[in-house]
Amino acid sequence: MVLARSEVTRGRRPRPARGTAVRLGLMALPLAFFALFFGYPVVAIVGRGLKDGGQWQLDRFAAVLGDPDVVHVLWFTVWQAAASTALTLLIALPGAYVFARFDFPGKQLLRAVVAVPFVLPTVVVGSAFLALTGRGGLLDELWGLRLDTSVWAILLAHVFFNYAVVVRTVGGLWGQLDPRQEEAARVLGAGRFEAWRRVTLPALGPAVAAAALMVFLFTFTSFGVVQILGGPTFSTLEVEIYRQTADFLDLPTAAVLTLIQFAAVLGVLALHAWTVRRRESALRLVAPSRTAHRPRGRGQWTLLWGNLAVIAVLLIAPLAVLVERSFAGPDGYGTVFYTSLRSADSTFTVAPLDALWNSLAYAAAATAIALVVGGLAAAALTLPRLRRGPSGRTPLAGRFLRGFDALLMLPLGVSAVTVGFGFLISLDAPPLDLRASWWLVPLAQALVGVPFVVRTMLPVLRAIDGRLREAAAVLGASPWRVWREVDLPLVRRALLIAAGFAFAVSLGEFGATVFIARPDQPTLPVAVARLLGRAGELNYGQAMALSTVLMVVCAGALLVLERLRPTDHSGEF
């Protein structure tokens, strides 16, 4: 403090060397991790596909994009993502209002139930809708209605999967908007809808846009849902990359499709970053407990019961049918499918139930990696922000920091299939010969967990008063002691929530794991996909049983997270 004041009095600006050095030190490990286990495998697989004799074959873009089948895949990928996003907003926005403004018995439990689909593996989501809409499913048995080869099954599964994204992103902000602003507009003569359109909607606009972009990103890169429900008729870019890589070994086509998806994801992430910055504008916020109330009048009760019915039909029913099918044995209801999971057959060199212990071990290791990498990245992003220069432009270091923030989100949108196959062909020589290593799967899963750790911890770290750190430093505390004595007690709960999210998403990771999991050490999602790929009632029943086990584990983790989550803090996820 004295040094900084003396430099100012002498007409010099304080030197930010120490802060910059600390920031770069915190960023070193995350940058190295992403360079080795994300950038290197992706570049390797793309280079393998687009190089011939050391020369880049860029004419392959024209050849691939001129293929009518590829054009159909591109069109369906964009169309289904846009339709899924619109349908999700249409169904979930009333739910966001209900959770934000109404107080009713069982609200906290229902909020956790609503979020369960988001952390479920896509393989389980596909299995649930297959049990509901497929051959021999509930709709087929009751009314002879099958939607397993219909695009409606895919769209409804995407709404099921992303409902919580809108409820948490929009509802979290909606619950903190001061309702007196809208009431003031009504006192001045505006009608109910006019007051909402002119006061509340502009405040919610950035949050709605951010939620829509995240839903579009998740559905644009959809893999497990489309692979199970789409069959040979429907294919997204992610599914087509998998087919071209695993089924046809056509690396040039897969590389072109990967770059197309990568460019689209970068565009979506850039729009998302812009909407998040808009969301940081000043708003009049209050504690959610001050805005929620018991429903008043017939209209509000109708809205509440209508949304509860939507949740029951769209979110709970598929999971209930999944559980029911897991107990529906050939001789009536029982546990025959569960008991058969303890024995190996020609599909598995180990018992399918062993996949549970493999998944738990992999997810625990991936969570530890994600916490270290994501925690350091979040700490780097929460150091004092770089101010704009005299020209009003963000300095180069500030733009680099934004790029670093965007890099942390890329694993959510870049093809996990490409990353998994890239692991196999790039990490095959010393000192990174990891193809036979047990750690290969946790490393791939940690890539997906890091963004959730960062987005969970950032709001809490940014909320810590910097003067507490400064006071500890002035008293002689080292940076490590400042973190241990000041930051850690304040972020301990957020750290546990981040660990839970990382564990849940690692447990359900499928796109990359399907390539790199060893046959004798499958994960639960890989085991489910293998069973669904084989004909026979026993295989189908075992797939339903394993999916139910995976659902219960993920739901249990989420219920614990919901109890840890502060009621007045929604975070960024």
Side-chain angles (χ1 to χ4, degrees):
M1 296 288 290
V2 175
L3 176 60
R5 186 177 295 117
S6 64
E7 287 183 348
V8 171
T9 56
R10 290 197 298 266
R12 282 186 273 173
R13 300 171 66 182
R15 290 177 295 179
R18 182 180 178 185
T20 302
V22 171
R23 191 191 300 273
L24 291 176
L26 292 172
M27 293 169 62
L29 181 60
L31 285 173
F33 178 79
F34 272 76
L36 287 177
F37 301 114
F38 180 72
Y40 179 47
V42 171
V43 171
I45 189 67
V46 172
R48 182 74 64 92
L50 293 181
K51 276 188 176 183
D52 186 8
Q55 298 294 323
W56 290 97
Q57 304 295 319
L58 300 182
D59 57 332
R60 290 175 177 170
F61 279 90
V64 172
L65 293 176
D67 187 342
D69 292 335
V70 172
V71 173
H72 176 73
V73 169
L74 290 172
W75 164 248
F76 178 74
T77 301
V78 175
W79 180 88
Q80 64 83 25
S84 298
T85 302
L87 191 60
T88 302
L89 290 176
L90 179 66
I91 294 176
L93 281 177
Y97 175 81
V98 165
F99 279 100
R101 294 302 196 200
F102 293 163
D103 190 14
F104 51 90
K107 178 179 176 179
Q108 186 176 8
L109 177 62
L110 189 63
R111 181 184 174 91
V113 171
V114 164
V116 166
F118 180 68
V119 299
L120 284 181
T122 55
V123 172
V124 173
V125 175
S127 301
F129 274 82
L130 191 65
L132 181 65
T133 65
R135 182 188 299 274
L138 183 63
L139 297 182
D140 189 18
E141 290 183 355
L142 295 178
W143 299 293
L145 179 63
R146 288 181 55 197
L147 299 176
D148 57 328
T149 57
S150 169
V151 70
W152 279 106
I154 296 174
L155 297 182
L156 291 175
H158 283 160
V159 175
F160 170 90
F161 192 74
N162 294 289
Y163 184 92
V165 175
V166 178
V167 168
R168 294 216 166 206
T169 304
V170 180
L173 178 61
W174 208 335
Q176 292 181 276
L177 291 180
D178 192 342
R180 291 175 296 182
Q181 298 178 78
E182 190 172 322
E183 293 169 1
R186 296 193 63 192
V187 169
L188 294 175
R192 183 183 298 273
F193 177 77
E194 186 71 11
W196 179 82
R197 185 178 66 86
R198 291 183 175 274
V199 177
T200 304
L201 183 59
L204 290 177
V208 174
L213 287 170
M214 290 305 296
V215 173
F216 185 87
L217 177 65
F218 291 142
T219 53
F220 185 85
T221 58
S222 182
F223 178 53
V225 168
V226 178
Q227 186 186 40
I228 292 175
L229 298 177
T233 307
F234 301 107
S235 177
T236 58
L237 272 175
E238 185 83 357
V239 174
E240 191 63 24
I241 291 170
Y242 174 78
R243 290 176 180 172
Q244 296 294 334
T245 303
D247 296 342
F248 307 122
L249 292 179
D250 187 354
L251 293 185
T253 300
V256 171
L257 295 179
T258 295
L259 290 178
I260 293 173
Q261 180 170 303
F262 185 70
V265 167
L266 283 179
V268 173
L269 288 178
L271 282 174
H272 181 266
W274 179 71
T275 59
V276 169
R277 287 197 297 273
R278 285 189 60 197
R279 192 176 167 187
E280 293 175 350
S281 59
L283 293 174
R284 195 176 193 182
L285 303 179
V286 296
S289 57
R290 294 177 55 187
T291 65
H293 57 82
R294 295 294 294 268
R296 308 186 189 103
R298 180 180 299 177
Q300 291 189 356
W301 279 106
T302 301
L303 181 61
L304 172 60
W305 284 109
N307 278 275
L308 293 179
V310 168
I311 292 172
V313 172
L314 186 63
L315 303 184
I316 299 178
L319 300 180
V321 173
L322 177 68
V323 176
E324 185 269 339
R325 286 291 181 255
S326 71
F327 287 101
D331 300 320
Y333 288 102
T335 59
V336 60
F337 294 138
Y338 288 90
T339 56
S340 64
L341 295 176
R342 293 181 293 184
S343 58
D345 59 12
S346 58
T347 303
F348 296 94
T349 58
V350 296
L353 192 59
D354 289 347
L356 172 62
W357 313 118
N358 295 333
S359 291
L360 293 176
Y362 286 142
T367 299
I369 298 171
L371 284 177
V372 173
V373 175
L376 290 174
L381 290 171
T382 51
L383 287 178
R385 298 184 181 183
L386 299 170
R387 297 182 178 179
R388 296 179 183 270
S391 62
R393 298 180 61 185
T394 303
L396 180 61
R399 292 196 292 271
F400 172 75
L401 200 62
R402 286 184 183 176
F404 175 70
D405 194 7
L407 171 68
L408 300 173
M409 294 291 290
L410 281 180
L412 292 182
V414 173
S415 170
V417 171
T418 301
V419 174
F421 195 61
F423 267 44
L424 289 182
I425 70 168
S426 62
L427 304 180
D428 61 344
L432 290 175
D433 187 3
L434 300 176
R435 286 182 301 177
S437 172
W438 183 88
W439 287 95
L440 195 64
V441 173
L443 287 170
Q445 293 176 345
L447 285 172
V448 184
V450 167
F452 288 89
V453 172
V454 173
R455 295 301 141 191
T456 302
M457 295 190 64
L458 266 180
V460 180
L461 286 172
R462 285 173 174 167
I464 297 176
D465 191 342
R467 290 173 296 183
L468 296 175
R469 300 188 184 102
E470 294 172 2
V474 168
L475 293 174
S478 65
W480 164 248
R481 189 172 181 184
V482 170
W483 162 257
R484 180 167 54 87
E485 300 289 345
V486 177
D487 289 17
L488 184 58
L490 297 175
V491 303
R492 182 179 290 113
R493 177 173 289 188
L495 195 64
L496 292 174
I497 295 174
F501 267 122
F503 182 82
V505 298
S506 299
L507 197 66
E509 203 287 322
F510 177 62
T513 309
V514 71
F515 273 100
I516 58 181
R518 294 169 53 180
D520 60 336
Q521 292 182 331
T523 63
L524 276 176
V526 172
V528 171
R530 288 184 189 174
L531 289 168
L532 288 175
R534 298 184 66 196
E537 184 179 10
L538 178 61
N539 292 313
Y540 177 80
Q542 286 180 325
M544 297 298 107
L546 272 183
S547 296
T548 302
V549 171
L550 188 50
M551 178 189 70
V552 170
V553 174
C554 290
L558 192 67
L559 289 173
V560 172
L561 294 183
E562 190 63 25
R563 294 187 66 86
L564 290 173
R565 187 185 64 85
T567 57
D568 59 344
H569 176 71
S570 59
E572 293 191 28
F573 264 104

